[in-house]
Amino acid sequence: MKTCVLILENLRSVENTASIFRTAEGLGVAKIICVGTTPTPVDRFGRVRPDFAKVSLGAEKTLDWECRKNISEVIDELKSQEFKIISLEQHPKAKKLKSGDKEQGLFALIVGNEVDGVSKEALDASDEIVEIDMLGSKESLNVSVATGVALFVLL
């Protein structure tokens, strides 16, 4: 059985994060861990964020999620539970994500900040780095779109 935990590391955009929640819920992700500055469905005062809810369409109510500060602690905990750690990032060591790349068992997918990507700390701790092969003139996809593509392929 496949179990996927999605780690959102220091995302900046409420809309991107909420869109990822909606996609992840639809594709059967078990849990989302929002790390660092990633926006969450509730603000720092514990109030529901209407801007988040408008985009996520309630996915945050049916999907298990939590907020954490330290990516290393999250990775260490998941590794101790035998999760394979996969980062989605353009990187010299990245393998191209292909349609036949299905993950088995427990895995966590890390996606990073819209500008800086996945942190070096997380990349160094990853078991694998994958990237989406770009065929047009643009070198990357929006983080929410890239996350959806990667989740669809891996799940």
Side-chain angles (χ1 to χ4, degrees), residues 11 16 22 29 35 37 40-41 46 50 52 54 66 76 78-79 81 88 101 103 105 110 117 120 143 150 152 154:
L11 298 190
N16 282 338
R22 183 175 172 187
V29 167
V35 177
T37 59
T40 62
F52 196 105
K54 180 180 179 184
E66 67 178 89
D76 289 345
L78 290 170
K79 281 190 171 192
Q81 297 169 36
L88 178 62
D101 291 344
E103 281 302 317
I110 303 173
K120 181 179 182 334
V143 67
F152 185 80
L154 295 171

Side-chain angles (χ1 to χ4, degrees), residues 82-96:
E82 300 185 11
F83 276 79
K84 178 180 180 181
I85 307 299
I86 303 170
S87 285
L88 178 62
E89 184 62 74
Q90 294 174 324
H91 188 274
K93 294 181 180 176
K95 77 169 203 167
K96 302 292 184 195

Side-chain angles (χ1 to χ4, degrees), residues 114-129:
E114 292 89 339
V115 173
D116 300 320
V118 176
S119 68
K120 181 179 182 334
E121 183 179 11
L123 289 171
D124 289 346
S126 295
D127 298 307
E128 187 172 30
I129 303 170

